[in-house]
Amino acid sequence: VEEQSVRAMLGSVEQEYLRDIMRALKEHDGTAVLAVADRMAERSLSFEVALQELATLMHRIALAQTVAQAIAADDPERAAIMTLAAGFGAEEIQLLYQIALNGRHDIGLAPDDYAGFTMTLMRMLAFMPSTAGTAAARVAGASAVRAPAGAIAVAADSKKKTV
């Protein structure tokens, strides 16, 4: 019996897909997020289950950020969870978790599960607190550059500058 076969039979999503999504979110890479969703679609994975398992992963990341010993030392996912926990702010994980929960609720209202799943992921990218002002870069497929904390970019008026 192989893990991949059991996961397929149970309809669960391989953790690597979820970690890839989290890494792409961390990098603010919309192209990579959609590429993972497309790979999942090719395998006919359940997007509703994926959102559930993504929320579970975010819960574990939040635990690792707050109470590291809550993730058992012998947990085979511990290293990956700790790496992800270090890559996100606690507020970001809390926000992403809430978006995942709302996405699970809304997926049935979407035109199809793929649309509901990818819109949830796009919402995660759009509302990441540290990415304000970088939507154009993400839409263009470019790597987003984070503005310094508290920076306000004023592009409409050339006489004004970044504060």
Side-chain angles (χ1 to χ4, degrees):
V1 178
E2 295 181 8
E3 179 183 0
Q4 187 173 2
S5 300
V6 173
R7 284 189 176 278
M9 182 179 69
L10 296 175
S12 64
V13 178
E14 294 175 30
Q15 292 297 302
E16 193 58 35
Y17 288 120
L18 304 176
R19 288 191 298 266
D20 287 348
I21 287 170
M22 293 303 295
R23 284 189 285 268
L25 290 171
K26 183 178 109 182
E27 297 298 321
H28 314 290
D29 189 344
T31 302
V33 168
L34 288 178
V36 175
D38 289 344
R39 288 193 335 252
M40 293 169 67
E42 289 170 4
R43 301 232 7 247
S44 299
L45 297 176
S46 168
F47 290 116
E48 189 171 352
V49 171
L51 283 175
Q52 178 180 349
E53 292 189 18
L54 191 59
T56 298
L57 175 59
M58 291 173 187
H59 170 253
R60 297 189 77 206
I61 292 168
L63 285 174
Q65 290 175 328
T66 308
V67 185
Q69 60 270 30
I71 309 300
D74 61 348
D75 185 328
E77 299 290 321
R78 181 177 170 73
I81 290 168
M82 299 309 274
T83 298
L84 288 169
F88 287 93
E91 300 88 3
E92 290 175 318
I93 289 299
Q94 292 297 322
L95 178 63
L96 295 175
Y97 178 78
Q98 285 301 312
I99 293 171
L101 293 181
N102 287 332
R104 284 187 62 207
H105 171 71
D106 293 347
I107 200 165
L109 303 173
D112 57 62
D113 285 356
Y114 177 83
F117 182 70
T118 55
M119 282 302 294
T120 299
L121 298 177
M122 295 302 104
R123 194 174 303 127
M124 289 176 180
L125 282 172
F127 288 101
M128 289 282 283
S130 59
T131 61
T134 62
R138 286 192 310 275
V139 170
S143 296
V145 177
R146 289 186 183 200
I152 301 171
V154 181
D157 185 344
S158 62
K159 294 180 184 177
K160 295 181 181 179
K161 57 184 175 180
T162 301
V163 178

